[in-house]
Amino acid sequence: MYTTLKYSCVLAAALCALAFGGCKNDKKVVASNSLSSTSTNEQVPAKLKKITPETRAYLEGKQIVIVLGYGYNDDAHIASITQSLNDNFGVETEDNAGLISVFVYPADFMVAGKERISSLADRLEDKTLAGMIILGAPEGLHIALSKMQDKTESGALDFPVFTLFSQDDVLGSESTSDFVLDYAHKTNTIDGEVTDFIPDFDAVEMLTNAVSEMIELREPLKADSSLITFVEQLFTKKRTVVHYVDGETGLQSINHFIFE
């Protein structure tokens, strides 16, 4: 009887260990299923279902960082942007892995109770990036990017950086981004105030398009005549896109564009 009881206890312990191990393995699959080639099609976010095996292999272990700054850091924008990114690409959370990692300024850049966009590099030190997209860059963000560039052997980041509607220094944004895109603001003829409203424009849609294009890239975009064509294709509806011209010098930027 003692032998039978001992055998039953051992068997029960083995089954519990097996069940626990199975649960751990299941959790690991769920945590990495955004890009795992073994995942079922239903588990893969919408846009990632369409990428090639080569692109999937390239993105494995990498992330695209989205920084939400001025104009896009309110609760409504954060919710709509995060939901769209999660549906289409998968967003990283404490419990799950994802291709997209979202940072909100200033909430995610507080150091000793103060806003420090300079802490960007520290926030990204444990990540391997496939790209970065910045909406409404706060002042000084280009300095943080420049310091990241200085730490590389080539003096340049090995992933693309798209900057949309920057509130940062113009030349600084241009020097640290593949391209900068702004809206050509119209002056109200009645009260003379400049409006931030962009007619017939969906920022969430453009961001989704930008990520879709970025995941196919293997390196930063070249600042040449084809760059404006790349920017134009980020719009779902046709818009007029032209090179930005500095108001003081009259010089045309090669990688800074405005649209109407």
Side-chain angles (χ1 to χ4, degrees):
M1 181 176 178
Y2 174 78
T3 302
T4 302
L5 180 60
K6 182 178 181 181
Y7 175 78
S8 298
C9 291
V10 171
L11 179 60
L15 289 174
C16 287
L18 180 61
F20 179 72
C23 290
K24 286 184 67 178
N25 288 337
D26 288 345
K27 184 175 182 180
K28 184 176 182 181
V29 169
V30 171
S32 62
N33 66 15
S34 62
L35 287 175
S36 174
S37 59
T38 60
S39 300
T40 63
N41 199 45
E42 289 75 14
Q43 293 175 310
V44 179
K47 296 290 185 181
L48 296 186
K49 292 179 182 179
K50 302 177 182 179
I51 64 176
T52 65
E54 293 77 15
T55 298
R56 184 179 299 276
Y58 170 74
L59 292 174
E60 193 68 42
K62 298 183 178 69
Q63 287 187 307
I64 291 176
V65 165
I66 308 296
V67 179
L68 303 180
Y70 296 131
Y72 300 93
N73 56 359
D74 59 280
D75 290 342
H77 273 104
I78 293 171
S80 61
I81 288 173
T82 302
Q83 184 63 58
S84 177
L85 291 174
N86 190 54
D87 291 344
N88 287 291
F89 308 103
V91 170
E92 179 187 51
T93 66
E94 291 183 358
D95 300 321
N96 294 290
L99 176 64
I100 306 298
S101 184
V102 178
F103 290 87
V104 179
Y105 178 85
D108 292 327
F109 298 92
M110 302 299 291
V111 179
K114 296 183 179 180
E115 303 168 7
R116 295 283 188 248
I117 193 61
S118 58
S119 66
L120 177 65
D122 295 334
R123 299 291 188 267
L124 305 181
E125 63 181 359
D126 62 340
K127 299 181 183 296
T128 301
L129 300 189
M132 182 186 301
I133 303 177
I134 307 159
L135 280 79
E139 183 178 357
L141 191 145
H142 75 280
I143 298 175
L145 286 175
S146 179
K147 290 180 178 179
M148 290 173 62
Q149 290 177 331
D150 293 341
K151 292 181 179 180
T152 66
E153 293 183 4
S154 64
L157 300 176
D158 61 359
F159 54 84
V161 178
F162 302 168
T163 297
L164 313 176
F165 316 119
S166 176
Q167 301 297 309
D168 197 6
D169 176 74
V170 173
L171 292 178
S173 294
E174 292 173 353
S175 67
T176 53
S177 307
D178 289 39
F179 70 83
V180 179
L181 180 65
D182 288 308
Y183 173 63
H185 296 280
K186 301 295 184 181
T187 301
N188 190 304
T189 56
I190 297 178
D191 56 20
E193 294 183 356
V194 176
T195 175
D196 290 331
F197 174 68
I198 305 177
D200 195 26
F201 176 77
D202 185 343
V204 177
E205 187 175 67
M206 163 160 275
L207 181 57
T208 301
N209 293 343
V211 175
S212 293
E213 293 298 328
M214 182 173 278
I215 63 178
E216 298 295 336
L217 300 175
R218 300 287 187 277
E219 58 186 3
L221 293 165
K222 295 180 180 179
D224 56 24
S225 59
S226 66
L227 188 54
I228 191 171
T229 302
F230 179 90
V231 173
E232 288 173 336
Q233 69 187 14
L234 300 182
F235 293 91
T236 301
K237 299 180 180 179
K238 185 174 178 57
R239 307 294 290 242
T240 300
V241 180
V242 297
H243 287 271
Y244 168 81
V245 177
D246 184 87
E248 296 183 2
T249 65
L251 296 177
Q252 176 178 283
S253 173
I254 192 171
N255 73 330
H256 189 170
F257 308 94
I258 59 174
F259 72 93
E260 297 180 358

